[in-house]
């Protein structure tokens, strides 16, 4: 009797705090991992840490603002694994800036990383998954996409659009047996927040990872469209 090969999970932004935690958790569950990063040093560091814990992982440099790089990533994935079971869009950027001080380049950069890049990644991922007739795509969005925050107009707008994109993609992907969900956390304790005195009360990256695992453990008959995770302190 042939054993089913391990499932393959791609974590885009796997060199970041949230993405690395998601990848670590999936590695513990036996997934073969592919993670991406924008810079080589952080990517190599993340791959090394994951391998220390016994994960089967490969790293791929990929700039989400470069459409050709995204296409090349999926060409490499197809050659390396020949399949894709899980896609996690965990990359993102958030540069605080008041709207009256934000120029066009600020909005364009934020939208390219937080919306356009994940959309192109999801498109390529769906093309791989539909051949197998199954798969799961999870976009890490934000509660900021549900309610705007002072100083984060571009970020909140991009995350709100990513939630809407997830909803649209879900309708398209269902006929291929592919599920699509959003994980919307409140503020997460990552390097992005620097010396923020409120970090002690923030959600941990591990909480986001557990939400991802919850979604992946659902039966094929079940779909949770969105998981919202709130900080305990307002």
């Amino acid at each position: 009797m042939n054993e089913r090969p391990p499932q393959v999970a791609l974590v885009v932004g796997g060199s970041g705090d949230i993405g690395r935690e998601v990848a670590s958790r999936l590695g513990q569950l036996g997934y073969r991992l592919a993670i991406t990063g924008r810079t080589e040093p952080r990517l190599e560091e993340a791959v090394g840490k994951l391998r220390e814990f016994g994960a089967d992982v490969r790293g791929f440099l990929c700039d989400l603002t470069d459409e050709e790089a995204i296409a090349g990533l999926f060409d490499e994935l197809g050659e390396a694994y020949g399949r894709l079971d899980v896609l996690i869009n965990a990359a993102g950027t958030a540069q605080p800036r008041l709207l009256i001080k934000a120029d066009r380049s600020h909005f364009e950069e934020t939208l390219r990383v937080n919306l356009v890049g994940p959309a192109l990644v999801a498109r390529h991922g769906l093309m791989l998954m539909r051949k197998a007739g199954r798969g799961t795509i999870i976009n890490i969005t934000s509660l900021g996409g549900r309610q705007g925050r002072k100083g984060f107009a571009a970020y909140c707008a991009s995350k709100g659009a990513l939630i809407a994109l997830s909803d649209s993609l879900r309708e398209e992907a269902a006929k291929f047996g592919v599920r699509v969900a959003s994980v919307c956390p409140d503020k997460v304790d990552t390097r992005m927040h620097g010396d923020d005195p409120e970090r002690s009360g923030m959600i941990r990256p591990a909480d986001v990872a557990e939400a991802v695992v919850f979604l992946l453990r659902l039966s094929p008959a079940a779909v949770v469209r969105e998981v919202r995770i709130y900080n305990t302190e307002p």
Side-chain angles (χ1 to χ4, degrees):
M1 182 176 179
N2 294 327
E3 292 186 1
R4 184 179 177 184
Q7 294 192 69
V8 176
L10 168 62
V11 182
V12 177
S15 64
D17 294 326
I18 294 175
R20 187 188 300 189
E21 194 67 40
V22 170
S24 177
R25 193 70 182 85
L26 296 184
Q28 293 171 17
L29 296 176
Y31 283 85
R32 299 180 71 190
L33 299 172
I35 69 169
T36 75
R38 194 171 184 175
T39 64
E40 191 166 358
R42 285 191 66 177
L43 180 61
E44 289 181 350
E45 178 191 4
V47 169
K49 291 292 185 182
L50 289 167
R51 285 178 177 165
E52 284 180 11
F53 294 111
D56 178 353
V57 57
R58 293 182 59 174
F60 298 85
L61 278 173
C62 186
D63 182 349
L64 287 185
T65 66
D66 185 339
E67 187 171 357
E68 291 186 3
I70 292 172
L73 165 67
F74 280 88
D75 287 341
E76 290 186 74
L77 284 174
E79 292 176 6
Y81 300 106
R83 61 185 291 175
L84 182 63
D85 302 284
V86 173
L87 167 59
I88 311 294
N89 265 318
T93 184
Q95 300 297 327
R97 195 166 301 176
L98 292 173
L99 183 61
I100 59 173
K101 296 183 178 180
D103 57 16
R104 178 171 179 165
S105 64
H106 170 70
F107 275 90
E108 289 181 343
E109 173 70 10
T110 303
L111 288 169
R112 280 199 298 267
V113 175
N114 290 355
L115 176 63
V116 179
L120 294 173
V121 166
R123 180 169 68 87
H124 283 282
L126 179 59
M127 287 191 288
L128 266 180
M129 292 175 175
R130 69 179 182 178
K131 295 177 182 179
R134 64 179 181 275
T136 302
I137 298 173
I138 299 174
N139 293 320
I140 309 300
T141 60
S142 171
L143 287 180
R146 291 297 186 192
Q147 182 174 352
R149 295 169 179 163
K150 178 182 177 181
F152 288 89
Y155 174 79
C156 293
S158 67
K159 290 298 187 177
L162 183 58
I163 293 170
L165 183 141
S166 301
D167 291 339
S168 298
L169 181 61
R170 184 181 306 108
E171 300 298 320
E172 295 181 24
K175 65 181 179 180
F176 302 119
V178 176
R179 298 184 295 186
V180 180
S182 298
V183 174
C184 303
D186 206 334
K187 292 182 180 180
V188 183
D189 183 10
T190 65
R191 282 172 282 190
M192 180 183 76
H193 291 287
D195 297 325
D196 190 327
E198 296 181 356
R199 285 185 69 170
S200 62
M202 292 180 186
I203 295 163
R204 301 292 184 260
D207 298 320
V208 180
E210 287 304 320
V212 168
V213 171
F214 161 72
L215 291 169
L216 294 176
R217 283 177 168 165
L218 294 173
S219 75
V223 176
V224 173
R225 297 183 176 184
E226 184 178 309
V227 175
R228 299 184 188 183
I229 312 173
Y230 293 84
N231 295 132
T232 53
E233 299 178 5

